[in-house]
């Protein structure tokens, strides 16, 4: 965008360069840390164990893990949203 407005100013198509007021582009972000294989296995085991005991929260967690694995989605796809009354609802974004 700044190159375009600078060109417009150089070719006298505009009187002032509005691109000069634009902020810099966002800095490159690094990838988030990932789980080691043993940590991922622990998460899967915990979700499976609770799901076998018919714990509603563990069943929900197991479903989330399966959904993320099956779709190849990242962790930012599913996040808890606080509710009135203290419990959390899972929101897929």
């Amino acid at each position: 965008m700044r190159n375009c407005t600078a060109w417009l100013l150089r070719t006298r198509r505009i009187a002032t360069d509005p691109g000069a007021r634009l902020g810099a582009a966002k800095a490159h972000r690094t990838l988030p840390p990932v789980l080691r294989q043993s940590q991922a296995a622990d998460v899967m085991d915990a979700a499976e164990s609770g799901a076998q005991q018919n714990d509603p929260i563990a069943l929900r967690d197991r479903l989330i893990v399966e959904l993320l694995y099956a779709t190849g989605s990242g962790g930012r796809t599913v996040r808890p949203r606080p509710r009135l009354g203290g419990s959390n609802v899972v929101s897929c974004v």
Side-chain angles (χ1 to χ4, degrees), residues 6-90:
W7 176 80
L8 290 170
L9 181 65
R10 270 194 319 273
T11 58
R12 299 178 189 218
R13 295 170 195 244
I14 57 176
T16 60
D17 184 2
R21 295 184 309 207
L22 295 175
K26 290 184 180 180
H28 178 71
R29 297 186 331 184
T30 60
L31 293 174
V34 297
L35 295 177
R36 292 188 310 272
Q37 187 174 0
S38 62
Q39 292 173 315
D42 290 344
V43 169
M44 295 296 288
D45 291 343
E48 181 66 30
S49 171
Q52 288 176 353
Q53 297 172 13
N54 290 327
D55 176 20
I57 301 299
L59 287 169
R60 179 203 63 187
D61 293 347
R62 175 73 175 163
L63 175 64
I64 291 170
V65 169
E66 288 292 334
L67 177 68
L68 292 174
Y69 179 77
T71 61
S73 299
R76 293 177 187 245
T77 304
V78 179
R79 62 181 174 185
R81 289 185 305 148
R83 282 178 76 182
L84 296 175
S87 62
N88 286 338
V89 172
V90 173

